[in-house]
DNA sequence: CAAAATCCATTTGCGTACAAACAATATGGA
DNA sequence: TCCATATTGTTTGTACGCAAATGGATTTTG
């Protein structure tokens, strides 16, 4: 019996590995995002959205809410501030914290971009049927 | 009737968007990869694997095979070469091309790391049942 | 054949990502 | 209270990832 078993290492194909396929699916999504919302990156939009969802919040807390570490959220917030979307002030009750708040421009941008964000989600999932989308999101969320 | 329709923009929640959940699932996979194969990044391993799968190949062609653009694959190949995994020579039939080939060390590393790579795939999909894994991979591939 | 279009590799610039180290501040427990 | 510990924000260094521009080689096509 020389036939390879089901788990034979020989059967490894890069193109079948979750990580590789997920990276490619993500690339497609990023491209869709860039074409529908050119003025903001997905990460920047995520931070903007959470900032509007949550209101006043410290920088690190915003990072946790958007799944970015302290170093990453700093750069993102810096760029959002440069675009006029973030107002900050020291937290009076904790000298370490930097309190962030969405500006009026942030709310305007959020309201304006929300429909586009929904389009992006829809286009990303477009290759799937209605039922498949629900299943996919359910399983994807399990991998988190 | 003031009840919001099913597609009401009000219903947008960042945490439910494919892009955001996919980014988090990917973060988890990256962390698993880093802990099981610390010596190589996922991208570097992808390039190494494809290089061994395909044999002699030009740099840009390797980039296409691994879904990396020319600028990205250059950096990855540079780092693989620094680790002694890539031998290169000019293509005699086309002065533009840089022909790449896996070294003996590359084959050794590939053989040694393959089981780990399979473990990474398994751990990433561990939260799913056997049946769910197949469904998930099928749907994920549709999004590519 | 010659011009136009394409392809290859490279570079620069910007934007995530994360590890590791740091100083300043808070907080909990002995 | 005082000290160990944790948290906050920052910086540095490394590694993708892509757009855009460049110079050189090849292919297509008129």
């Amino acid at each position: 019996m020389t036939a390879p078993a089901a788990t034979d290492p020989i059967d490894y194909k890069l193109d079948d590995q979750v990580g590789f396929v997920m990276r490619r699916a993500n690339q497609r999504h990023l491209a869709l995002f860039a074409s529908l919302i050119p003025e903001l990156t997905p990460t920047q939009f995520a931070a903007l959205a959470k900032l509007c969802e949550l209101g006043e919040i410290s920088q690190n807390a915003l990072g946790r809410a958007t799944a970015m570490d302290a170093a990453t959220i700093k750069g993102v917030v810096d760029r959002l501030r440069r675009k006029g979307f973030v107002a900050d002030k020291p937290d009076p009750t904790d000298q370490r914290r930097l309190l962030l708040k969405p500006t009026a421009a942030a709310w305007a941008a959020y309201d304006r971009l929300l429909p586009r964000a929904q389009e992006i989600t829809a286009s990303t999932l477009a290759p799937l049927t209605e039922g498949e989308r629900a299943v996919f999101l359910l399983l994807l969320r399990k991998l988190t």
Side-chain angles (χ1 to χ4, degrees), chain A:
Chain A
M1 298 303 154
T2 57
T7 56
D8 193 318
I10 289 306
D11 288 351
Y12 185 91
K13 282 283 177 299
L14 179 66
D15 310 82
D16 294 338
Q17 310 306 307
V18 219
F20 189 70
V21 188
M22 211 157 57
R23 177 166 148 268
R24 306 223 296 132
N26 209 46
Q27 282 177 343
R28 177 168 160 274
H29 173 257
L30 268 344
L32 282 170
F33 197 106
S35 89
L36 285 174
I37 302 189
E39 62 263 56
L40 242 43
T41 67
T43 352
Q44 288 166 16
F45 180 78
L48 174 70
K50 272 293 178 194
L51 197 55
C52 289
E53 276 182 23
L54 302 175
E56 209 169 52
I57 190 175
S58 82
Q59 183 173 285
N60 274 11
L62 181 60
R64 285 190 291 272
T66 49
M68 305 178 204
D69 71 3
T72 301
I73 193 63
K74 190 209 183 304
V76 174
V77 166
D78 282 349
R79 286 180 279 278
L80 284 180
R81 188 171 20 227
R82 211 185 303 142
K83 293 176 200 251
F85 292 151
V86 173
D88 56 71
K89 60 169 187 184
D91 185 332
T93 81
D94 189 334
Q95 305 300 118
R96 297 168 305 176
R97 287 211 243 283
L98 185 62
L99 270 188
L100 309 181
K101 221 177 45 165
T103 62
W107 281 109
Y110 184 49
D111 288 347
R112 186 171 56 82
L113 296 177
L114 257 189
R116 306 249 181 192
Q118 289 180 317
E119 277 182 60
I120 292 166
T121 294
S123 321
T124 300
L125 294 174
L128 304 184
T129 69
E130 195 67 34
E132 287 174 335
R133 282 170 217 178
V135 173
F136 178 72
L137 276 177
L138 183 79
L139 299 182
L140 184 61
R141 211 174 275 109
K142 278 196 179 181
L143 297 186
T144 289

